[in-house]
Structure formats: structure tokens, C-alpha cells
Amino acid sequence: MNREQLKKEIRRIAAEKNAVIMAHYYTDAEVQDIADFVGDSLALAQQAAKTDADIIVMCGVHFMGETCKILCPQKKVLVLDLNAGCSLADSCRADDLAAFKNEHPGYKVVSYVNTTAAVKALSDVVVTSSNARKVVDSYPKDEKLIFGPDKNLGAYINGVTGRSMLLWDGGCHVHGRFSLNAINDLKAQHPEAKVLVHPECPKPIQMVADEIGSTAGLLKYAIESDAQEFIVATECGILHKMQLACPDKKFYPAPPEPADGEACQCNECSYMRLNTLEKLHSALVTEQPEIFVDADVAREAIKPINKMLDLS
Ligand code: 13P
Ligand code: SF4
């Protein structure tokens, strides 16, 4: 089957099985282009909550599939590769969080959506980078809060809300690697360019930002801005949608610190790259791999997710 036939087959089987294809902005361009819906973590969860499809195919990473399954327990939820995990979600294990909660009685737990279902089940509310500020602001100023697992997003939210939430020491291997020197070099080459930064980036990168936001927030800024050039410090998959939405503007991916023997000068999430058209086709044909969430865990995890959706 050539590429065009493969795409036609994917659309044909999806229609036949009443399957909805969802993709995160970080997936490859051809995966985004074939999806019914492309969005940030919040939009994907909102879309899952209201879909009337029988099958949800989540082109993204494992926690996104779990969130869909928790929201739609009666539906079949497929991902393209069970190895598509997330270094940030891996940085917070449920038993470690449970121990941390025991050490800090009286604290409520605010968890980023990039967490396992078991971590969500231990949380009071879930946030994404789109709504973290709003959700945290919904708590009284003197509420004792633990924020995890992303310490950079947590520090950013502490800064903009004037709080001192306890921060989990976790992070994303992609967002933690941007090179400040390389961004400054790019700025020198393109002095008019605006710097767009995801809040999972460390503070020194946030400090050179013209805009800090979720993937959807950065896309919106690029569309609405009068600027013609942008340096983008988040996973480079988002550049596809930015370029589609703004064909006359220029987007430069912020480079990572060079690692020995690495050819790639863009910032790629190796987990997101596991999503391919071939695997999408196979998932639709075989209805595998399917996501399952333990019923007890799901019963607890849906509460903080619904709380977030109500507040968003
Ligand atoms: P958002 O799409 O919510 O900005 O999240 C970024 C991310 O790292 C997803 O894994
Ligand atoms: Fe997880 Fe980072 Fe990949 Fe996002 S970019 S899915 S936070 S590893």
C-alpha cells in the first residue's frame, strides 16, 4: 500500500467502525493531518468527554489514553504504541506520592495531567498547562497545596499566583534540555522574533520568553501576533500547526543542548515519535493496543479530572 492508499484506508476503517482519531500537537505532521481532532492536553480531554464515537484512537502518549478511558469507561480506547510513555509522568510514582502526602498532612494535591491514573487517583484536582493558573486560583490563598510532578510549571504557577505550593521534583526530558545560548544566538540572528516558551521549560528559558503558554496558547499567540518570526521552545511537532495556521510567518525551533553523538538539532519527544500512520492503521484494524484502567483507580481518578473540567 502506498502512502495515499494507507491514508484512505485509515479514514475508511475509522468511518466504518465509528472511531474518532485524536492527536496531540506533538505528533508527526501526517498523523496530525489525518486526525479528526488535534489539540493540547486539555482540549483532548474535553473532546474525549463529549465524543459519541464507539472507539477513541489516541495518537499521543499513554497518560492521554488513560485519561480518555477514565472519562469514557464504556468506550474502547486505543493508543498506537504502549511504549509511548512520558518522562514527566515517570518522574512521579504513585507510592512515592502517597508517602509524600503522609509526610504532609493537611495538604491538597494538584497534579498535572501528565501523570499516571494511579497518581491522579491520589490527587484533589488535575490541571493542564492551559488551566493550571485558573485551577490553582480557585483555592483559597492560604490553602496548603502540593503541586506535581513538573517543578518548572509549578514554580511558574507559584510566581504568577503569588503562592508557595510545595513542588514535586519532576520534569520532562525534552523541555528540560533547551539551550539558553542557542536561543540567544537565534535571537541575535532574528532580532524581531518573539520567543514562545512552554512552562515545562526551566526558569532561565522562561525568562527570555515573550509568551509562556500551553501548546494551544502558544499557537493562539502566534496566530494573533503582528510579529512575523517566532522562536519556539517546546516540542517541535507544534511547528506544523503553527506553519499551517500562519503560512507567511517564520518559525524556528529552539535547539536543545547538544548531546554527544546526536544528530538531531530539534527538540523531539521520542515517545510522541512512536505514533506513525502504519501503527494507526494497525490499531484500527486489530483494535489493539487497548487501554485499560483498574476500576478502583478509575473511580478515584475521575473525580479530580472532572473537577478540572468543571473549572475549565
Ligand atoms: P500541553 O499540550 O497541554 O501544552 O502539554 C504539553 C505536553 O508536554 C504534553 O505532553
Ligand atoms: Fe511527556 Fe515531555 Fe513527551 Fe510531553 S514532551 S509527552 S511531557 S516526555
Side-chain angles (χ1 to χ4, degrees):
M1 228 185 305
N2 67 32
R3 219 87 205 122
E4 287 315 306
Q5 288 167 330
L6 184 63
K7 289 181 197 167
K8 268 200 186 131
E9 267 302 282
I10 289 170
R11 291 305 338 163
R12 186 189 67 75
I13 305 168
E16 185 183 286
K17 296 193 173 186
N18 190 26
V20 65
I21 302 172
M22 300 202 201
H24 189 268
Y25 286 128
Y26 291 165
T27 53
D28 281 348
E30 57 182 4
V31 173
Q32 292 188 42
D33 288 347
I34 206 157
D36 296 292
F37 184 81
V38 185
D40 68 351
S41 305
L42 175 62
L44 292 172
Q46 287 169 324
Q47 199 66 25
K50 65 179 187 203
T51 184
D52 54 12
D54 295 316
I55 299 177
I56 301 173
V57 189
M58 174 54 73
C59 308
V61 294
H62 192 268
F63 76 80
M64 295 175 179
E66 275 191 339
T67 305
C68 285
K69 185 65 186 177
I70 294 164
L71 285 165
C72 312
Q74 311 307 335
K75 296 185 191 297
K76 189 172 267 193
V77 176
L78 307 174
V79 292
L80 305 198
D81 190 324
L82 287 173
N83 292 316
C86 167
S87 55
L88 179 51
D90 289 346
S91 68
C92 183
R93 287 167 28 139
D95 47 358
D96 293 337
L97 179 61
F100 195 71
K101 276 179 72 171
N102 282 338
E103 288 162 21
H104 297 91
Y107 278 77
K108 294 213 160 78
V109 177
V110 182
S111 283
Y112 196 28
V113 70
N114 297 41
T115 43
T116 62
V119 164
K120 290 184 177 80
L122 295 172
S123 305
D124 292 283
V125 70
V126 169
V127 300
T128 73
S129 42
S130 278
N131 61 19
R133 181 178 188 168
K134 191 173 178 184
V135 172
V136 168
D137 269 339
S138 73
Y139 283 92
K141 273 277 178 213
D142 57 353
E143 186 85 61
K144 293 175 175 173
L145 299 174
I146 294 167
F147 186 99
D150 192 81
K151 63 174 183 238
N152 296 323
L153 175 64
Y156 172 69
I157 299 297
N158 268 345
V160 293
T161 61
R163 295 187 186 239
S164 45
M165 298 184 290
L166 287 184
L167 304 183
W168 192 264
D169 188 16
C172 157
H173 73 298
V174 178
H175 290 89
R177 263 193 65 198
F178 287 105
S179 160
L180 184 58
N181 286 339
I183 292 174
N184 283 334
D185 286 350
L186 271 176
K187 270 168 65 99
Q189 288 164 37
H190 308 284
E192 302 299 320
K194 299 286 182 199
V195 181
L196 310 182
V197 172
H198 196 279
E200 287 174 25
C201 294
K203 177 100 179 177
I205 307 292
Q206 292 182 15
M207 284 176 68
V208 296
D210 292 289
E211 177 71 3
I212 297 176
S214 68
T215 48
L218 298 179
L219 175 61
K220 184 168 181 282
Y221 181 92
I223 292 169
E224 291 174 358
S225 169
D226 290 335
Q228 294 302 308
E229 294 180 289
F230 302 87
I231 296 164
V232 185
T234 190
E235 211 276 351
C236 56
I238 186 71
L239 268 75
H240 173 60
K241 267 284 182 281
M242 287 177 168
Q243 201 65 78
L244 271 184
C246 315
D248 298 329
K249 297 183 178 179
K250 289 204 165 71
F251 297 94
Y252 311 109
E257 287 293 353
D260 282 349
E262 238 180 60
C264 175
Q265 273 310 300
C266 52
N267 248 292
E268 292 197 334
C269 173
S270 48
Y271 302 112
M272 288 287 181
R273 297 281 84 70
L274 292 175
N275 292 277
T276 63
L277 281 191
E278 287 77 8
K279 288 182 197 169
L280 175 54
H281 178 256
S282 157
L284 282 164
V285 171
T286 64
E287 300 187 16
Q288 295 288 335
E290 186 173 355
I291 292 285
F292 297 98
V293 179
D294 175 86
D296 292 336
V297 170
R299 199 174 313 114
E300 290 308 307
I302 193 150
K303 295 176 197 167
I305 297 174
N306 277 339
K307 187 164 180 182
M308 167 188 81
L309 292 176
D310 289 345
L311 285 165
S312 297

